Amino acid sequence: MNPVIDMDKEYGIVLEGGGAKGAYQIGAWKALREAGVKIKGIAGTSVGALNGALMCMDEFDTAQQVWENLTYSQVMDVEDEKMQRLMEREMPFWEAVGDVFKRMGEGGVDITPLKELILSVIDEDKIRQSPRELYIKTFSVDQLKELDIDLKDVEPGQMKDFLLASAYIFPLFKNEKLHGQTYIDGGAINNVPLDSLIDRGYEDIIMIRIFGIGREKRVKIPEDTRIMVIEPRVNLGDIIDFNPKKSIRNMKIGYYDAKRLIYGLKGRIYYIEENHEECYYLKQLLQINEWAKERFMEWYHIKDDEKLWTRRMVETVLPGTVMELKLSKDWTYGELYMASLEATAKLCRIPKYRVYTVEELKMAVENKMRRFSKEEKETLPVFALFFDAED
């Protein structure tokens, strides 16, 4: 595959806050690294600031290892088993609420484990010597204002404090003064720090969205600035669900979503390398077997007239399928084919996380359809008939 983005340019990366959802950002970074995308600077809030520090250091292996093994107790002073029960809604409601009020009464959850994690993985010297810039957001309670910090400019020994300051989720985490000041999570004021790069003149920016909880500040985009977005189309889970299985899943999703951007992959559900003309898709839609043709005729109340069959397909069957799949009024044959193929692949439970060509995904669907009996096929939506490979 060849990248569709300009590989000669240097990009600024925006990493928003979102707690446990941050694993997605590491998966996206993996795809960017593999493709050879040049990174000039990073702007991060909360977990985005912590991931941004690892990105600035170019410590991908460390980042991946941290997220693959990250548990609740490595972030907060909690019991992993109890938190898992809470996240899976196995804990009685009254018990969960009681525990929350108790922690709030104590000033919040102790995040000493997170401090220790930051101390163990962040190397201040590597960040200062990195060719990549690193900007983070936090909010100063004492000054009542947002702070946009160039991390390389902070005093020696304070870098890890400011990374922690950016991640103080209020009021969940117990807040302690850092070098005499009180801070809270930057996401309270600006969870998507796009302005950090815009204000510093970055013109080519990739935003890695995870849709965490926080305020998204409005930013005026200069005319010569190009912003590209990597974002999930599925729910990444709860911001405090620090479950290694979820993190590994979210890294995988981030990896393939980044590939979608880098290589211009098509598909809303799957990741598809596509380069055919409209005539190819129309031909594919019209090439159906006799059994499928009978089903279409029955479904759309079409008379059996071989001479007019192609016309009936184009005027009745295809527009009817468009309505069933809820495509836009400006649909194309390519969009109809791809939507039908993806929807059928999903019904057939074809594995999602890999890159397919159109032909590869079609073959996978057809092979699965061959295992269905006629009775099973009759229960499928009518668009699945385009991929019935039986003679």
Side-chain angles (χ1 to χ4, degrees):
M1 294 187 295
N2 296 315
V4 298
I5 68 173
D6 192 336
M7 299 297 288
D8 293 326
K9 291 182 176 180
E10 291 186 316
Y11 293 89
I13 307 294
V14 177
L15 303 176
E16 75 176 281
K21 298 183 182 186
Y24 179 92
Q25 297 169 343
I26 302 304
W29 178 26
K30 179 181 179 181
L32 294 171
R33 288 179 89 248
E34 286 182 353
V37 174
K38 301 180 183 70
I39 298 175
K40 179 181 179 182
I42 308 111
T45 295
S46 193
V47 73
L50 302 179
N51 282 338
L54 292 164
M55 193 179 291
C56 182
M57 294 160 55
D58 200 24
E59 288 286 347
F60 173 77
D61 290 341
T62 298
Q64 181 172 261
Q65 185 177 17
V66 166
W67 280 102
E68 285 179 345
N69 297 281
L70 194 62
T71 62
Y72 307 99
S73 61
Q74 290 177 304
V75 178
M76 307 169 279
D77 183 17
V78 295
E79 298 176 23
D80 286 327
E81 184 179 350
K82 193 171 186 179
M83 285 299 298
Q84 188 64 43
R85 288 176 58 217
L86 176 61
M87 290 294 103
E88 294 178 357
R89 293 175 173 79
E90 295 177 355
M91 180 184 291
F93 177 76
W94 62 267
E95 185 179 340
V97 172
D99 196 54
V100 168
F101 277 108
K102 179 183 177 183
R103 293 302 180 111
M104 293 303 101
E106 295 170 350
V109 181
D110 183 3
I111 55 169
T112 297
L114 178 59
K115 296 178 190 176
E116 294 172 350
L117 180 63
I118 292 173
L119 286 171
S120 68
V121 300
I122 301 301
D123 187 320
E124 186 169 323
D125 290 336
K126 280 189 177 181
I127 290 176
R128 294 191 188 280
Q129 295 165 13
S130 171
R132 297 171 177 173
E133 300 304 318
L134 178 59
Y135 313 107
I136 70 168
K137 295 281 191 180
T138 187
F139 183 82
S140 171
V141 176
D142 299 275
Q143 301 176 58
L144 290 178
K145 71 174 185 179
E146 174 190 50
L147 301 181
D148 186 340
I149 300 168
D150 182 337
L151 210 59
K152 292 185 179 183
D153 287 345
V154 303
E155 294 182 16
Q158 292 190 358
M159 190 177 288
K160 295 173 185 178
D161 283 346
F162 278 110
L163 287 170
L164 183 63
S166 183
Y168 266 135
I169 301 175
F170 179 81
L172 177 63
F173 291 166
K174 182 181 290 185
N175 199 296
E176 299 173 1
K177 287 184 181 293
L178 299 172
H179 44 81
Q181 300 288 316
T182 300
Y183 304 92
I184 61 173
D185 192 305
I189 299 298
N190 190 353
N191 202 43
V192 187
L194 173 62
D195 58 319
S196 290
L197 299 184
I198 295 291
D199 292 346
R200 291 175 171 90
Y202 280 72
E203 295 182 351
D204 298 286
I205 297 172
I206 298 173
M207 297 175 62
I208 304 178
R209 301 299 312 269
I210 54 176
F211 304 109
I213 298 172
R215 177 174 179 262
E216 185 173 346
K217 187 177 180 179
R218 290 187 179 182
V219 181
K220 184 177 181 180
I221 311 298
E223 289 184 6
D224 54 357
T225 299
R226 185 185 181 203
I227 298 175
M228 294 172 284
V229 181
I230 299 168
E231 62 182 22
R233 297 176 180 178
V234 296
N235 188 345
L236 298 180
D238 196 283
I239 65 169
I240 61 168
D241 194 359
F242 293 99
N243 181 321
K245 290 183 179 179
K246 291 276 183 68
S247 295
I248 292 170
R249 165 189 174 267
N250 287 345
M251 281 193 284
K252 181 184 288 188
I253 296 170
Y255 177 74
Y256 282 98
D257 285 350
K259 278 180 171 287
R260 190 193 299 281
L261 172 73
I262 297 165
Y263 301 105
L265 302 178
K266 305 299 182 183
R268 289 203 55 80
I269 303 172
Y270 290 81
Y271 303 88
I272 307 171
E273 188 179 3
E274 184 271 334
N275 54 8
H276 294 293
E277 301 292 336
E278 275 289 278
C279 57
Y280 170 86
Y281 293 111
L282 176 58
K283 182 178 179 181
Q284 294 298 311
L285 289 165
L286 296 177
Q287 288 181 341
I288 58 174
N289 61 34
E290 287 301 317
W291 183 79
K293 184 186 293 188
E294 291 174 6
R295 287 284 320 279
F296 275 126
M297 291 170 59
E298 179 183 350
W299 186 267
Y300 289 103
H301 307 290
I302 299 172
K303 292 183 179 180
D304 187 4
D305 190 334
E306 191 65 34
K307 293 180 181 179
L308 296 176
W309 175 247
T310 299
R311 180 176 175 180
R312 296 287 186 255
M313 281 287 289
V314 172
E315 293 181 351
T316 304
V317 174
L318 300 188
T321 309
V322 165
M323 293 180 64
E324 185 175 2
L325 291 168
K326 298 180 181 179
L327 301 184
S328 71
K329 63 179 180 180
D330 299 320
W331 62 277
T332 64
Y333 293 124
E335 290 171 343
L336 173 56
Y337 182 84
M338 295 288 281
S340 299
L341 178 59
E342 285 196 280
T344 308
K346 184 177 180 180
L347 286 171
C348 292
R349 298 185 178 182
I350 303 300
K352 178 179 177 180
Y353 294 109
R354 56 159 287 188
V355 177
Y356 294 89
T357 63
V358 176
E359 291 77 13
E360 286 171 342
L361 186 55
K362 178 189 176 187
M363 185 177 298
V365 169
E366 289 179 343
N367 288 339
K368 197 66 176 285
M369 290 282 284
R370 287 189 179 96
R371 302 176 192 174
F372 294 161
S373 66
K374 284 285 178 63
E375 291 74 18
E376 288 173 322
K377 290 178 184 178
E378 288 175 352
T379 66
L380 295 175
V382 69
F383 55 74
L385 298 176
F386 290 123
F387 309 101
D388 181 25
E390 297 294 342
D391 295 330

